[in-house]
């Protein structure tokens, strides 16, 4: 049973560019959440997707957007990159909206973004 | 809004010694509480979770945590540290089963021979 998979694992961008990160949830999961983990910090919630809609959003600007596909996979897009966007981006999947919600997240290994 | 405070950004123990990582939370409703571990260059792995059942929760790798409502605490313990326990540990709180977690800043556990 494959867990949560993310791609790419590492990438380098320059300020002003755009980036797309991808996530495939654990088999059987229906909800995908994205977190940003800056160096030396705990993960911070960006947004959550269920049934191809953004359901909850953290305190992140509109430069951060996402998408969920019919197969439950998800993308995180960041436009107009800033140096401060350098971080580990973690995708987490869960089974939430089918009545089995215990809050347990399964995390991928992350995509490490460096903005120069 | 909920929040988590982890006391001590670094904790050092000797192999075989007791591990105690502290976590205090703030929540306006009964919380769900979690401990996650992160090894270098990896994602987060769930150690254990409290979801309003037994207050003493046992997790993987010999870790356990006790929910104390009066102290708003959920400290993580392990009787005897192993070298393989060296990692960063995150406490997190959620106020529902809808998976939005608020994390603490993490505590790096260092284990010396």
């Amino acid at each position: 049973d494959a867990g949560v998979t993310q791609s790419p694992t590492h990438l380098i961008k320059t300020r002003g560019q755009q980036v797309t990160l991808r996530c495939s949830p654990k088999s059987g999961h229906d909800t995908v959440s994205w977190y940003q983990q800056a160096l030396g910090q705990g993960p911070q919630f960006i947004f959550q997707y269920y049934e191809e809609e953004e359901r909850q959003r953290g305190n992140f600007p509109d430069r951060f957007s996402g998408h969920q596909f019919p197969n439950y996979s998800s993308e995180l897009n960041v436009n107009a990159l800033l140096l401060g966007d350098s971080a580990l981006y973690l995708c987490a999947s869960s089974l939430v909206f089918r009545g089995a919600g215990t809050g347990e997240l399964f995390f991928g290994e992350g995509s490490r973004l460096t903005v120069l | 809004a909920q929040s988590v405070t982890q006391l001590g950004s670094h904790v050092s123990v000797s192999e075989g010694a007791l591990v105690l990582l502290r976590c205090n939370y703030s929540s306006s409703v009964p919380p769900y509480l979690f401990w996650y571990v992160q090894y270098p260059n990896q994602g987060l792995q769930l150690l254990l979770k409290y979801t309003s059942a037994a207050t003493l929760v046992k997790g993987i790798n010999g870790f356990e945590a006790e929910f104390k409502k009066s102290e708003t605490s959920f400290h993580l313990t392990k009787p005897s540290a192993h070298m393989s326990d060296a990692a960063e540990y995150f406490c997190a709180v959620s106020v529902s089963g809808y998976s939005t977690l608020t994390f603490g800043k993490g505590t790096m556990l260092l284990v010396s021979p």
Side-chain angles (χ1 to χ4, degrees):
Chain A
D1 177 24
V4 179
T5 58
Q6 294 187 241
S7 63
T9 56
H10 295 79
L11 69 166
I12 299 173
K13 294 285 187 178
T14 56
R15 282 178 296 174
Q17 285 189 313
Q18 178 265 344
V19 67
T20 297
L21 308 178
R22 296 176 176 81
C23 172
S24 293
K26 180 178 169 64
S27 178
H29 283 184
D30 58 7
T31 301
V32 172
S33 302
W34 286 91
Y35 287 78
Q36 180 195 65
Q37 186 179 15
L39 197 61
Q41 300 294 318
Q44 298 225 338
F45 173 69
I46 303 176
F47 42 53
Q48 180 190 72
Y49 276 84
Y50 170 72
E51 287 190 333
E52 304 177 49
E53 290 189 13
E54 183 182 294
R55 298 292 177 160
Q56 298 187 66
R57 188 180 183 92
N59 188 25
F60 279 81
D62 292 345
R63 297 186 298 109
F64 289 78
S65 63
H67 191 76
Q68 186 180 34
F69 299 94
N71 66 352
Y72 306 116
S73 68
S74 177
E75 289 183 348
L76 164 65
N77 300 292
V78 186
N79 293 323
L81 285 167
L82 305 174
L83 296 180
D85 296 331
S86 294
L88 180 68
Y89 289 84
L90 294 165
C91 173
S93 73
S94 55
L95 181 60
V96 174
F97 288 97
R98 293 179 184 173
T102 61
E104 181 172 349
L105 297 180
F106 289 79
F107 283 84
E109 296 196 348
S111 294
R112 186 165 296 281
L113 171 65
T114 302
V115 181
L116 302 176
Chain B
Q2 61 273 22
S3 65
V4 171
T5 302
Q6 292 184 242
L7 293 177
S9 59
H10 292 78
V11 170
S12 294
V13 300
S14 299
E15 193 172 21
L18 171 71
V19 175
L20 171 60
L21 304 182
R22 299 179 186 274
C23 172
N24 288 88
Y25 69 91
S26 171
S27 178
S28 57
V29 298
Y32 294 71
L33 293 161
F34 305 81
W35 276 99
Y36 282 85
V37 61
Q38 186 175 35
Y39 297 99
N41 300 314
Q42 293 190 22
L44 280 73
Q45 180 184 7
L46 180 67
L47 277 178
L48 50 80
K49 62 183 179 184
Y50 167 77
T51 56
S52 74
T55 57
L56 182 61
V57 181
K58 295 187 183 296
I60 62 171
N61 301 339
F63 285 93
E64 63 181 37
E66 186 172 8
F67 172 67
K68 292 187 176 181
K69 182 178 179 181
S70 61
E71 299 177 8
T72 61
S73 69
F74 191 57
H75 302 330
L76 182 70
T77 61
K78 182 174 180 178
S80 177
H82 295 162
M83 296 294 291
S84 60
D85 294 328
E88 190 154 25
Y89 292 79
F90 292 93
C91 182
V93 63
S94 174
V95 295
S96 74
Y98 294 97
S99 301
T100 300
L101 296 179
T102 299
F103 286 87
K105 291 187 175 182
T107 298
M108 183 68 71
L109 177 64
L110 307 170
V111 183
S112 56

